[in-house]
Amino acid sequence: LSLSLSLLNYITVVIFQNVVPECPSIPYGERVDCFPHPDQKCLERACCWSPVDEANVPWCFFSKNHGYSVVSESQPDSTHIEARLTRMDAPSLFGADIKELIFYAEMQTENRLRFKITDANQARFEVPHEHVQAPSSPPTGPLKYRLELIQKPFGLKVWRTSPEKLLFDTTIGPLVFADQYLQLSAKLSSHNIYGLGEHVHQTFRHDTDWRTWPIFTRDSFPNGGTHNLYGHYPYFTCLENESGQSFGVFLMNSNAMEVTIQPAPAITYRTIGGVLDFYILVGDTPEAVVDEFTQLIGRPFIPPYWSLGFQLSRWDYGSLDEVKKVVERNRQIGIPYDVQYTDIDYMEDKKIFTYDMEKFKELPQFADYMHENGQKYIVILVSKRLNGPYEALDRGHAAKVWVTEPDGNTPLIGEVWPGETVFPDYTNQACVDWWVDEISRFHKEVKHDALWIDMNEVANFVQGSSKGCAENKLNYPPFTPRILDNLMYSKTLCMDAKHKWGNHYDVHSLYGYSMVLATEKASREVFKTNRSMVFTRSSFPGVGKYAGHWLGDNAANWNDIKWAIPGMLEFNLFGVPYIGADICGFFDDSPEELCRRWMQVGAFYPFSRNHNAQGYKDQDPAAYGAVSLLVKTSKHYLNIRYTLLPYLYTLFYKAHVNGETVLRPMMHEFYSDSETWGVHNQFLWGAHLLITPVLDPGVENVEAYIPDAIWYDFEKEERITDRKEKVNLNLPADKLGLHLRGGAILPAQRPDVTTTYSRRHPMRLIIALDDNNAASGELFWDDGESRGILEELDVLTMHVTHNGYTDPNNLKFENITVMGVTGAPVSVLVSDGTTTNALTESQVNYDSTRKVKECSIDKYRNSRYSISDPCIRKDSSISYLERNTAFPSQRSQSRDISKLRVEITYLSGKSLRWKIFDPSNARYEVPVPLDLPAMPETEENNRLYRVQINNKPFGIQVIRKDTEEIIWDSAVPGLTFSDQLLEISTLLPSNYVYGFGETEHPIYKHDLNYHKYGLFTKDQPPGYKLNSYGVHPFYMGLEKSKYAHGVLLLNSNAMDVTFLPTPALTYRTVGGILDFYMVMGPTPEAVVQQYTEMIGRPVLPAYWSLGFQLCRYGYSKDAEIADLYRDMKAAKIPYDVQYADIDYMERQMDFTLDKVNFKGLPALVDNMRAEGMRFIFILDPAIAANETKGSYPAFDTGVEKDIFIKWPPELSNDIVWGKVWPDYPNITVDNSLDWDTQVELFRAFVAFPDFFKSSTAEWWAQQIKDFYNNVMKFDGLWIDMNEPATFVHGTVGEKCLGDPALENPPYMPPLESMHRGLNHKTLCMNSEQILADGTRVRHYDVHNLYGWSHTKPTYDALLSATEKRGVVVTRSTYPSSGRWAGHWLGDNYSAWDQLLKSIIGMMEFSIFGIPYTGADICGFFNPAQYEMCLRWMQLGAFYPFSRNHNTINMPRQDPVAWGPEFAAISRDVLNIRYTLLPYLNTLMYEAHAHGNTVVRPLLHECFYDCCLLICHLFCFVKGVSVVRGYVPNARWYDYHTGEVVGVRGQFMNMDTPLSKINLHVRGGHILPWQKPENNTHYSRLNPLGLLVALDDGGSAHGSLFWDDGEGIGKLCMFVSVCAGMGITRNVMVLIELDDHNSTSCLFHPNSLDKRVWGVSAPVTQVIMKVTGKPDAKLEFTYNAEVRYVMLTCTLV
């Protein structure tokens, strides 16, 4: 097909109804058929007519005149878009066009977009899906897609955001929306389209050469045509390219439709009812898309274990005796065989819920007959007979359960197997109840083990009904899709028949779905806690949640054996992995060769059943002869199936939990290889077992594709040399191809004739080594049929995750086979996590020819390391560990360290250190200085702890003396110390663990259920389990006694931590040493105090930095900032700090000023600072390198001083170049290009300063000072992108020099983009940095310290330039960063859940020793929504670092951008903040002086210190006006009213109107305060006041720190304040103790305004006592109603 843009032969244009068609000149492949009927009405439709010599190309295609226009558009919040559409003036295609439509789009998750188009004025039928619903909360991470709305003609484009790519573009054709004709076309990003169904697709990948597929459930034969079959699946997956990135499209519509795929590539949907309800699912791989789809429609069920066995069935055995003959002859030949079926012939006259009392008279006992031999029995359920005495029918009549005629009352009569038939309406609850009851009744009479439902398309042997069908628009719509027979009611019901859900016209394709839902309820009622199974012929998306499916009534021919594979692959995409075809064919006699080959491949169908039809020869295996080749090969491959059933069962578990496919297309695993995209005659079990069947007669050599991996011939256990190529496999008559992929561990079990018996046998492991001589695998194991039982095997270590299951067969592993062992092993050890097995020589068999090692397992305890030469001293303990060389290396590419030194130092009575390192060869150690005691604690009695060392296995135990609780216990197997993998585990004293970062955690307390977090600094916006900007390998743990302790691993290499429910914790790091520090608490607050004493107390920020702050990436000019400042002043909103992001720079280069757009910024800054405001500028570390020499001093002097990061000299003397924000000179950036292209074309080379060097710190300080003195003033500095971040991977050109194992270490922690290497979005790991003492180190080791090394030089430079305290805010942090800087929580998202997550993040950074922290208020990415932003402003008013900040191209979200009401509410809550700034400042001082937390978790005492409780629960849900908050056990006062809260130690409802945040003050505390003003410069001029909240005993205490707010080293005054009430004398006494007698600050007690809450009795006198001054009486007023005293400022 030619796709040239040449002019078409001719285009006929007519004017119709005053419409002149606009006919585009487009490629043939992009034409959208205007009138898909084979007549010549094109011109009447004002479409374009252009005959061509291509038969498939539409001659009549749409002009530009058709479609709709957007008349209004709104965005209620950041995740929703709404628009009203009106129809353009064009002729109608089929009449009844709907003029006005509503378009609704919802960004439901990061990967899922929903958009719906429907009638604006009248409700239409929508699918009432049991599972599909909107998420309960909006997306929390970055959206992987972007929606673009086109106004006229209406269209939409869905883009992938990274890399930017157009996926789904509806502008290729117009939207058509009539009452009975809806059409939408979309151009796709690739020809790799898979799915749509149910049909026979002869290939897995769709042919895009003008193929039209009808979708409408139908009882028809799968004979290879394009007609519609049993299921209804308007879903497809599209693989975009070799990256694996894919997307799925699901149209939730159950009406009859057709789908055309054309060469553009594009797809056109034409449906005749309902709405257009689309879901676009974006994934990084095809498997990820299936995950997304099954999350939407429902995860697949886990079938009972026995249902994975082989099964036999046929229609019309004739009698039960004949059934038993078949059972017995197959038992006798010893073929594995679990299930026997009976079809409709067991029934009396084919009536459901009956059995033939003559031919099947012993059927009630048949299930017992099967069970006695460990087998199961399944019956079929089909239609209802109308005539004759029939109790089930009578009960159905009485309950009115039938589908009716259009009158809604008269049962519709059709004809199926029994004759005249009625049809249950499973959408009617009365019918569901009847159905459950009937099945229960029948099961009591005829026991069976599962249910097979058939003919539920719904099938009917007469057209519509026994009365025919009325001539109306439902039975004869204006447009009929290309369904079989071109008649809507052919072989089914009339379309105007009535169901509870609606007309049969709308719900026809849901009949089987609704029957499955009803049958599943019956199954639960009958089989109770057993899983059982439902098996259905007709299906709809979501059926897989409850049922399996077979591919229908195929035939015994070679085509159908071939076409079964694409069908099964498609149903795995559809979320129905329990799938198979009738083995040997349903219709026709099955020749021996065909049946033999089909039995071979059918042994690997997920649902493996041999089934044939009435009148044809028997085709069960034994029918071909007990000694036949067919029986021999069938037994062989069924034995392999049964051997691997534990693996298959695990795959079903993973499908159920993660949405993974079971029968997997090759391209899902090897998508980077385009050869796999079209493979449809081979398939995989999961990721590891490749099946290559023989699918043609007389063939023994098969062309197969071997993907790019190590593969082993499964049967020979030999490695093959072929990879990534086509090969000819010799597969004689008794063989099929079976290959095992390297890297796999497959659980297996000795097979038997049924699963009942095989499950009693020991298990084994089949291990196939990959290129790295590594392998991994999983096992799901339970009793095989109960609901909710779980055990899991993770690489050879059993973790029980549900303790309710004990295997009755004493499950154990008897042997292990390892393929790919290149040499005979010296020794073999096996560990189960607690016990290590050292195998004897007789237990190990090595086959040098096959390179296979087989091991038998017994029990022997051993350890990887053992202790030698222990030396115990008063202040420390030193031991040496010798590696047991019998243990194989954990990673062959990582050299084990044979001898280790263990040093335990008793630092103090409350702290200790243990260090494990290589004593022979110096390894990298973290160069972060800690403040440790000068002398260890030598007196054992002074220590809160006792240390024990265990030998087998080696481990350290730390015991708290006063409780005898073991709080650290690494005496567990698994200690590993190799060059690039260090691993150590410890048991934990409780499940209460807090800390580890920087990763987003959904709750403050860690979930210990096998969660793993990677720690590695990265420019990564917060997201679940994504490693972000900082690294903090510190946790605080609670003990059973409720004491607390903290543990720091001082290691800066990439690492991960894994939590286990034991409870236990495992560390894995890729370098350095194991250097642990523990602090003993015993309270959570004491833990933080001791930890910050060790790493350094937090910096004391300038007073003004506690004010509200505004920032935005995207100010286009200085006038925008000036206007914002003016508006904020006019609104009288307190506001202290204005920022400038990289916009102010010339081409985003540090230390420059854009003299075009920001030339007035220096003067503006001076004016603002003159009015008490402060300014902060951003600085990134990367320095532009492409400027003309002499024009950019920052780079020139940096080169002169040799301060940039370079390669090691043995590799190159060049700088390690990156690319970040700076642009090349003299270019114009084209923002329409995708991001990677922009980086390549427009971003300049940059160099990264090595801040470890003293010369770099001097250079940095000089650049900052020069900018301050010569360009413009500032008061603080904001340092960003210092992970360090770069927009290329490793270096420009992305070719890292040196050891590749540094970029991709043998063990890779679970980091974001781990598959891309450690250098993804950062520097090459082999880059060299130089410490201050001259030591050369690899970036591999110090990467996580880059932000840390950047921070102190920046703080020192700020102080030097401004000679004031100021503030530094940094993005990347490491323990002790808080000594110099605060931190914000990064580039968050505008979403409700981010409010809660910001609290969790601040609490974590409080225990990390960085109390000056906060999140970007209202979110950085995505448009903010009014209510959410307002609630966030209220919460953010109590962040220590309170800044509203968002990104470029987003709407403004500062307080004055939303209107007067928003501004007023923001002003009110910020006035509260400013009122309490003296208190917040005091908290910051106490953190600086003593290590106290500022934002404090309730488990420390309360939420915000111990006396101000901020109830934040309202923040998480839109539209909430009453919240339920917890009030701790103390006296609390409502901050707004001063009244005592009437509850304590319990939850209470709190009114939370939009204008209010709940604040409560704890009794017993005194809060200093000050009248607020527009900024702190003016508020600090106001008198100070005291807010006194008396406790139950009538007393209170507090403190106040006060200085000039920005001086360096000038701590002016710290005042402790106490208050008491003498009840007997009705005298109140205030006492103030002045701790610092400095007179450098103006402070006088006469200026204090005081309010006392909780005064329970009238006051007659108030006395104030001040140290060193005479007592003074104060004037006062007493409010008896509220019970507070107001004191005047005048002394009496």
Side-chain angles (χ1 to χ4, degrees), residues 70 73 75 80-83 85 103 105-107 113-115 117 143-161 164-172 184 280 1231-1232:
V70 177
E73 181 180 346
Q75 188 162 358
H80 294 82
I81 298 174
E82 296 178 1
L85 316 178
F103 170 84
E106 180 183 14
M107 292 69 171
L113 165 68
R114 178 196 186 190
F115 68 87
I117 305 171
L143 300 182
K144 292 187 177 179
Y145 54 85
R146 174 171 61 85
L147 176 62
E148 178 185 354
L149 216 56
I150 310 301
Q151 303 289 312
K152 185 175 182 180
F154 162 79
L156 58 91
K157 297 181 179 182
V158 181
W159 299 78
R160 179 182 291 278
T161 55
E164 187 160 280
K165 185 171 187 177
L166 184 56
L167 305 181
F168 189 84
D169 178 5
T170 71
T171 62
I172 191 173
L184 189 74
I280 310 294
N1231 289 314
S1232 68

Side-chain angles (χ1 to χ4, degrees), residues 1166-1182:
D1166 291 342
N1167 292 338
M1168 293 174 69
R1169 294 177 81 238
E1171 295 180 358
M1173 287 289 293
R1174 308 291 176 154
F1175 227 89
I1176 293 178
F1177 295 95
I1178 194 171
L1179 286 175
D1180 292 342

Side-chain angles (χ1 to χ4, degrees), residues 93 132 223 272 288 428 511 541 636 663 731 790 872 909 1053 1219 1243 1309 1472 1604:
L93 296 184
V132 174
N223 57 16
I272 62 172
N428 181 349
Y511 192 87
H636 176 73
L663 199 85
L731 300 174
L790 175 64
I872 310 297
N1053 288 86
K1219 290 193 171 193
R1243 298 282 111 83
I1472 296 174
D1604 68 358

Side-chain angles (χ1 to χ4, degrees), residues 1371-1429:
R1371 192 167 75 174
S1372 186
T1373 59
Y1374 188 81
S1376 80
S1377 289
R1379 297 176 67 173
W1380 308 291
H1383 170 67
W1384 85 107
L1385 297 177
D1387 298 341
N1388 59 356
Y1389 294 85
S1390 185
W1392 281 94
D1393 74 311
Q1394 291 294 307
L1395 281 76
L1396 169 60
K1397 290 174 180 174
S1398 72
I1399 296 171
I1400 296 167
M1402 290 188 299
M1403 292 195 295
E1404 288 179 337
F1405 271 89
S1406 282
I1407 66 174
F1408 296 157
I1410 308 179
Y1412 186 69
T1413 188
D1416 281 346
I1417 295 171
C1418 299
F1420 183 72
F1421 290 117
N1422 298 340
Q1425 180 264 337
Y1426 182 96
E1427 181 183 347
M1428 182 201 64
C1429 189

Side-chain angles (χ1 to χ4, degrees), residues 1049-1085:
L1049 170 57
L1050 192 66
N1051 181 292
S1052 61
N1053 288 86
M1055 69 173 73
D1056 60 51
V1057 292
T1058 302
F1059 296 113
L1060 305 172
T1062 312
L1065 169 66
T1066 296
Y1067 297 86
R1068 296 182 184 91
T1069 181
V1070 301
I1073 66 170
L1074 296 175
D1075 194 3
F1076 286 96
Y1077 297 79
M1078 175 179 279
V1079 292
M1080 297 296 296
T1083 66
E1085 196 69 2

